[in-house]
Amino acid sequence: MIWEARQPAVEAARADLNAALAGETEPFEVTTGGRAGQAIDFTATGETTLPSGEPAPRGGFMEWEIPREPGTPWPKPQRDWHAEARLWSADATPATRQKAERALAALNAARKAGWTFETLPQRPVTPWPEEARAAHARFWEARIARQKEIDASIAARAEFEYLYDKPYEARGRIRVAGPFTVESLSPHRAATVGADGELIDELDAARGAHARETEAESYVEAILENLRRAGVHQKDKGDRIEFTSLKPWPGEMICAEGRYPEGAPEAPVERRAGIFIGPEYGTVQRADLVAAAREAAEAGLDVVIACAFNFDAQASEFHRLGRVPVLQARMNPDLHMAGELKAGGGNLFTIFGEPDIEIVQEGATLRVRLRGVDIFKPALGRVDSSDADEIACWFIDTDYNEESFFVRHAYFPAADIPYKAIRTTLKAEIDEEAWESLKATVSRPFPRPRSGRIAVKVINHLGDEVMKVFGV
């Protein structure tokens, strides 16, 4: 009854919105439903058929495709230029202002506009006519009213309601899982990175500087105190970096200078490291590491040690700028309680090296070969390769969309598969050959991705992870 009473108002508002937008020349890119990834051409007429078999207007919205805010989003390159142009400010660095000016010029050329930094629109969308905005407001008013009435009816009359945020234990199902769970923060913005590192040219390090400005001094001081006492750990105890001194540094990205011995114990050489500390809550981006490495090079420092809770995909691939190596030390989540944490306990800062990965082409399919991990050896002052057997597991997203990592292939090269335990737990016979195929350093073949990108995530025995993105 509620649907029959409320749905006509929703459909009428949708029809009015489609009629008001008819003839608009700028297409609307759909992000949900059966037409996700396609664009609605408001100048088109007639109907099309969705994958579900449901008809849809060629030149108009279905109910679930209507955005919450009115307006047609600009194409992605223009949205990126808009974001870069908005980085401009009077107190920004000259490099930031120069990049923002280039982005604004490109945006004006693409949009055939004459915006300045003061007149640049707040949102990268093409405004809708007043009639369309009114219909859009009526649509959401009717849809929200319909949902409120449905929710009230369920609360008043239903014997039970599915609570999707209240899980329950299903005793009839068996969960197969490993000894630990992997979590990762997705970047807030998907940045375009070319084979030659165009990210350095597109994004300025001022973003990292802005994040540094918002960090509390007490947080940075607590992290440095723990770093001074605990040092930086790797898989082998002999590869630990122990600081002989750690002093504050008056830089924008580098907040401290640490000194540690490198080489044989009988004749060590003192090295100077610039310490970069990422935000307490957030993800370090590649632009942040680039800015820190440039600052370290200008100051004559030997290496950058970047300490952070999370690095985004592009940052995980960045390990050197010129002569300055960049070591990425992941911070233990316990450091979120740095003020109460007793300094010096456990592996608080760990470095996971860069995975050595090869993409193998086999006709129309691809394979990924994991050769090992490159690990920095402070005692030797160089990077050595370790065997792939030292890796706990590695995953492949064979069609990476730059936003979410989906595990499509999973391998456990260092695992001794406990067949008897699995057999007992599952209460069934298992295919040992199939399970053995998971203990591999060469993936199964897979077709070329439609996105043109794959992502490989490698995890060590400490639970540290690193991800690399490849264009194929």
Side-chain angles (χ1 to χ4, degrees), residues 67-98:
R68 291 304 301 262
E69 297 292 335
T72 300
W74 298 342
K76 187 178 184 307
Q78 297 178 17
R79 297 199 302 269
D80 290 342
W81 290 329
H82 178 272
E84 293 172 20
R86 288 184 60 81
L87 292 176
W88 188 95
S89 66
D91 57 349
T93 64
T96 301
R97 292 198 296 270
Q98 186 177 16

Side-chain angles (χ1 to χ4, degrees), residues 74-402:
W74 298 342
K76 187 178 184 307
Q78 297 178 17
R79 297 199 302 269
D80 290 342
W81 290 329
H82 178 272
E84 293 172 20
R86 288 184 60 81
L87 292 176
W88 188 95
S89 66
D91 57 349
T93 64
T96 301
R97 292 198 296 270
Q98 186 177 16
K99 289 179 176 60
E101 289 164 0
R102 287 202 299 265
L104 181 62
L107 182 61
N108 279 330
R111 303 294 305 176
K112 296 181 174 56
W115 290 310
T116 65
F117 293 113
E118 290 75 19
T119 61
L120 186 66
Q122 293 291 321
R123 298 173 55 227
V125 299
T126 298
W128 285 347
E130 179 59 35
E131 185 180 356
R133 292 199 298 272
H136 177 271
R138 291 198 303 274
F139 167 82
W140 279 106
E141 182 180 352
R143 183 172 176 179
I144 291 172
R146 181 192 67 189
Q147 191 60 47
K148 284 184 176 179
E149 193 166 341
I150 291 174
D151 293 342
S153 176
I154 291 174
R157 299 177 178 84
E159 295 182 2
F160 60 87
E161 179 182 358
Y162 288 109
L163 300 178
Y164 295 99
D165 62 341
K166 305 290 184 183
Y168 64 92
E169 183 179 359
R171 296 184 179 276
R173 297 184 182 182
I174 299 175
R175 177 175 180 266
V176 179
F180 56 83
T181 300
V182 178
E183 298 180 354
S184 176
L185 290 180
S186 297
H188 296 287
R189 176 170 176 251
T192 304
V193 181
D196 298 324
E198 290 86 351
L199 179 69
I200 300 175
D201 296 329
E202 293 182 5
L203 297 179
D204 191 80
R207 177 179 302 170
H210 177 71
R212 286 277 295 119
E213 291 171 1
T214 62
E215 295 172 7
E217 289 186 8
S218 58
Y219 160 70
V220 176
E221 292 172 357
I223 295 298
L224 290 178
E225 178 63 21
N226 281 279
L227 183 62
R228 179 182 294 108
R229 299 191 182 186
V232 180
H233 295 256
Q234 299 193 67
K235 183 177 182 294
D236 296 328
K237 292 183 178 179
D239 294 332
R240 177 185 174 190
I241 298 177
E242 297 184 81
F243 295 104
T244 57
S245 70
L246 191 62
K247 299 179 180 179
W249 182 268
E252 292 187 9
M253 306 298 290
I254 303 297
C255 65
E257 177 207 32
R259 303 193 178 211
Y260 66 93
E262 178 182 280
E266 58 273 10
V269 177
E270 186 178 66
R271 297 297 184 190
R272 300 167 63 219
I275 308 299
F276 165 80
I277 297 179
E280 185 173 6
Y281 303 100
T283 304
V284 170
Q285 300 185 3
R286 179 167 175 164
D288 303 331
L289 300 184
V290 171
R294 285 177 176 167
E295 187 175 317
E298 293 173 358
L301 300 175
D302 300 308
V303 63
V304 170
I305 299 179
C307 304
F309 291 106
N310 291 281
F311 297 88
D312 73 6
Q314 289 78 25
S316 298
E317 299 175 354
F318 183 75
H319 296 278
R320 178 178 292 274
L321 181 68
R323 66 168 185 83
V324 180
V326 178
L327 306 181
Q328 298 179 17
R330 294 182 183 272
M331 299 196 296
N332 191 307
D334 289 344
L335 286 169
H336 280 303
M337 303 181 299
E340 292 76 27
L341 187 67
K342 186 176 181 180
N347 294 338
L348 299 181
F349 305 86
T350 56
I351 293 177
F352 186 20
E354 179 182 10
D356 187 1
I357 295 171
E358 178 186 6
I359 308 296
V360 181
Q361 300 186 21
E362 297 181 354
T365 63
L366 302 173
R367 286 180 186 264
V368 177
R369 176 180 289 115
L370 178 63
R371 293 175 172 175
V373 176
D374 295 335
I375 298 176
F376 178 71
K377 302 283 188 178
L380 303 175
R382 68 168 185 258
V383 175
D384 286 351
S385 295
S386 66
D387 295 333
D389 291 341
E390 298 182 10
I391 294 170
C393 58
W394 61 292
F395 307 133
I396 308 175
D397 185 345
T398 57
D399 193 7
Y400 183 55
N401 63 3
E402 293 189 291

